[in-house]
Amino acid sequence: MRLWGGRFAAHSDEAVAAFGRSIDVDAALALDDLDGSVAHVRGLGRAGILSMAEVTTLVGGLEGLRREVENGELPWDAGLEDVHLNLEAALTERLGDVAGKLHTGRSRNDQVATDLRLWTRRAIDRLDAGLVGFERALVGLAERDGDAVLPGTTHTQPAQPILFGHHLLAHVEMAERDRGRLADARRRVNVSPLGSGAIAGAGYSLDRATTAAELGFDGVTANSIDAVGDRDFVVETLAAVALAMVHLSRLAEEIVWWSNPRFGFVRVADAYSTGSSMMPNKRNPDPAELIRSRSAGTISALTAILGILKGLPIGYQRDLQEDKPSLFGAVATHEASLAVMAGMLATLTVDRIRMADAAADGYTTATTLADGLARHGVPFRAAHHVVGALVAQAEQANIRLLSDVPPAALRKLLAASDDAIARGLATDPGAVAKLLAGATIEASLAAADVVGGTAPQRVTAAIAAARARLDLEAARPA
Ligand code: ARG
């Protein structure tokens, strides 16, 4: 029996029925749907609409269905369109006519909105745990190899030396913002639309707040039209997921480069690498590449739901059924990507020597030298000009490190400066030699001694703080 069949003389066309069918996707809502139904039935009992005996029977039937769903024993009937109709039909099969009372004061419109909010709430909690696991892997790697020196790049060109731990903690910051966005979205997810009916509000005086509290919601929606047509919470969740996946993709991109033998900074473990069917030499970082590409799918999911919503009048429209494939797919992608990335980081081997060697390429201590001149009173612009000329000369002379440049070369450039203090310095060979000798990687690192900087003791403290925060997280009751 079609549950909305009364008005219709003819059955719908099979192609049309197949076109509108969503059970393949929304079966994932089954447990949330049963939770919602149990709370709704109890509410109907409290309102005196169902007798206590009916409540007991219906709740018992719904609990039975839950066990069947959990054990994978409930067959989904493709003839029944969606998960809501399937579960109601299954209940009718088991309980008979009394099951027909389940849908009193409820529409599939407020039902599916409730189910999806319950599903999304659980999804957010799983993603949050996944993000914490990912942060643990980042901090674990920072504790292991965080004092390795990495060439910090801007414009993808050598810029200044940084500690590998500092770089990893940048990703921790990004993940923390991702968590914050999910937590913020969760607040607006966690309100109950149940009792909104199809559009006008249920035609019974239901105590919506008690039913909402039973389902763990923080409150109830304030407008029935908005409640059945609102999918902002899907947009917000997908926006948080898409951005978090963009973050993972940027790290994936770095791992792809770092593991290239030309860089040789890291080695991806065997378990996270694949070979080539043709080239016996290949060692490919496939999981990183797949995270990078799948992030695109989550961006598509976000644009899909925004596109669906932009043309809709408020209230429930069937278009809203299409919110689920996007949301479910993106959440699954994000969850799996977090786990794989965490595993890849935990098993990554770092080649500190290759990293430090690369950090010395490209005159990455030039800013430290210019800062040294500026500390003597040379205006920074004049210092910048002198050091720039010195770098050009070192390049010409094939001298790799500024600390190896003969002091006479710097004195000559200082003497030619139009700044009087620079010219004065040129007459002080001891000071010039000291400035050059001090333009080392270690000095560059130590100089960045500001909050948020890469100076070793700053990074050590930041790693310890991140670890302490994660330990607190573990102690927090779920
Ligand atoms: N399968 C539908 C969805 O996901 C359920 C709500 C259908 N409501 C309706 N009036 N056809 O949106």
Side-chain angles (χ1 to χ4, degrees):
M1 180 191 79
R2 275 168 311 146
L3 289 145
W4 38 262
R7 187 186 202 283
F8 295 87
H11 281 282
S12 24
D13 183 271
E14 177 42 36
V16 174
F19 195 66
R21 185 169 294 148
S22 61
I23 182 64
D24 291 343
V25 173
D26 61 27
L29 295 176
L31 293 176
D32 304 300
D33 196 75
L34 291 166
D35 283 344
S37 288
V38 167
H40 180 60
V41 163
R42 292 216 171 98
L44 291 173
R46 277 192 302 274
I49 298 156
L50 296 181
S51 71
M52 279 308 139
E54 286 169 332
V55 170
T56 306
T57 305
L58 286 169
V59 168
L62 290 164
E63 295 301 350
L65 288 182
R66 168 192 305 286
R67 282 189 292 279
E68 288 184 51
V69 170
E70 280 169 349
N71 298 332
E73 290 162 359
L74 193 77
W76 301 116
D77 180 352
L80 287 170
E81 193 174 302
D82 62 20
V83 68
H84 323 293
L85 299 182
N86 260 274
L87 289 172
E88 194 177 331
L91 193 69
T92 307
E93 236 173 63
R94 283 149 188 77
L95 301 182
D97 287 347
V98 67
K101 298 199 171 187
L102 168 67
H103 212 51
T104 312
R106 189 175 71 172
S107 154
R108 273 189 293 159
N109 298 353
D110 59 347
Q111 184 178 3
V112 74
T114 304
D115 294 1
L116 197 59
R117 283 173 183 273
L118 292 173
W119 187 95
T120 305
R121 189 176 71 188
R122 283 194 289 122
I124 286 176
D125 293 346
R126 285 200 314 277
L127 291 177
D128 187 65
L131 281 162
V132 170
F134 166 57
E135 285 186 33
R136 269 187 216 296
L138 286 165
V139 172
L141 185 53
E143 285 166 343
R144 187 151 48 86
D145 287 303
D147 55 342
V149 184
L150 188 74
T153 59
T154 67
H155 308 259
T156 331
Q157 306 299 318
Q160 290 181 287
I162 54 170
L163 288 181
F164 187 47
H166 196 51
H167 190 101
L168 294 169
L169 286 184
H171 286 287
V172 171
E173 288 299 309
M174 293 152 80
E176 272 298 288
R177 290 197 296 276
D178 294 331
R179 293 184 67 206
R181 271 181 284 273
L182 283 174
D184 188 45
R186 194 187 191 282
R187 287 192 296 116
R188 281 178 293 278
V189 167
N190 205 28
V191 287
S192 174
L194 211 54
S196 299
I199 178 163
Y204 305 83
S205 68
L206 299 172
D207 175 3
R208 294 185 59 207
T210 303
T211 302
E214 263 184 27
L215 289 169
F217 285 118
D218 295 326
V220 299
T221 54
N223 180 295
S224 61
I225 309 168
D226 178 46
V228 292
D230 172 26
R231 294 295 183 275
D232 291 3
F233 67 97
V234 176
V235 174
E236 290 188 56
T237 304
L238 281 174
V241 165
L243 184 48
M245 281 299 297
V246 165
H247 289 166
L248 282 188
S249 180
R250 293 177 77 173
L251 175 58
E253 170 79 358
E254 291 174 334
I255 291 173
V256 169
W257 282 111
W258 290 344
S259 60
N260 179 307
R262 275 274 163 184
F263 286 73
F265 295 173
V266 302
R267 189 177 172 86
V268 175
D270 282 3
Y272 290 84
S273 305
T274 53
S276 152
S277 59
M278 188 179 102
M279 300 166 285
N281 57 314
K282 285 310 295 279
R283 183 181 180 86
N284 298 326
D286 291 36
E289 298 170 81
L290 291 171
I291 287 170
R292 193 172 56 184
S293 61
R294 286 183 192 162
S295 64
T298 64
I299 297 168
S300 312
L302 173 61
T303 57
I305 184 67
L306 286 168
I308 288 168
L309 292 175
K310 76 171 276 296
L312 298 188
I314 63 171
Y316 180 82
Q317 321 296 332
R318 186 63 180 272
D319 312 52
L320 295 177
Q321 175 170 298
E322 303 306 302
D323 55 4
K324 290 173 214 66
S326 306
L327 179 65
F328 293 177
V331 166
T333 295
H334 189 25
E335 209 180 347
S337 301
L338 284 167
V340 167
M341 182 57 95
M344 195 157 51
L345 292 173
T347 52
L348 206 63
T349 313
V350 174
D351 188 335
R352 294 156 164 266
I353 295 174
R354 290 291 296 270
M355 262 189 196
D357 192 53
D361 270 339
Y363 305 100
T364 53
T365 62
T367 307
T368 306
L369 181 57
D371 285 340
L373 290 171
R375 282 202 183 87
H376 278 279
V378 179
F380 185 77
R381 276 295 145 238
H384 187 287
H385 190 82
V386 166
V387 176
L390 191 74
V391 166
Q393 287 185 8
E395 219 165 23
Q396 279 281 314
N398 255 322
I399 301 172
R400 188 176 177 226
L401 302 177
L402 285 179
S403 49
D404 290 345
V405 170
L410 179 53
R411 282 175 59 200
K412 206 168 153 199
L413 287 168
L414 287 166
S417 172
D418 44 21
D419 177 67
I421 298 171
R423 287 196 301 276
L425 254 184
T427 64
D428 184 347
V432 169
K434 211 171 149 196
L435 278 168
L436 276 172
T440 60
I441 301 268
E442 293 68 33
S444 291
L445 290 169
D449 188 15
V450 289
V451 173
T454 198
Q457 72 275 16
R458 297 275 181 183
V459 174
T460 304
I463 293 171
R467 170 58 67 191
R469 186 174 50 67
L470 288 172
D471 285 350
L472 240 119
E473 204 71 56
R476 203 168 55 109

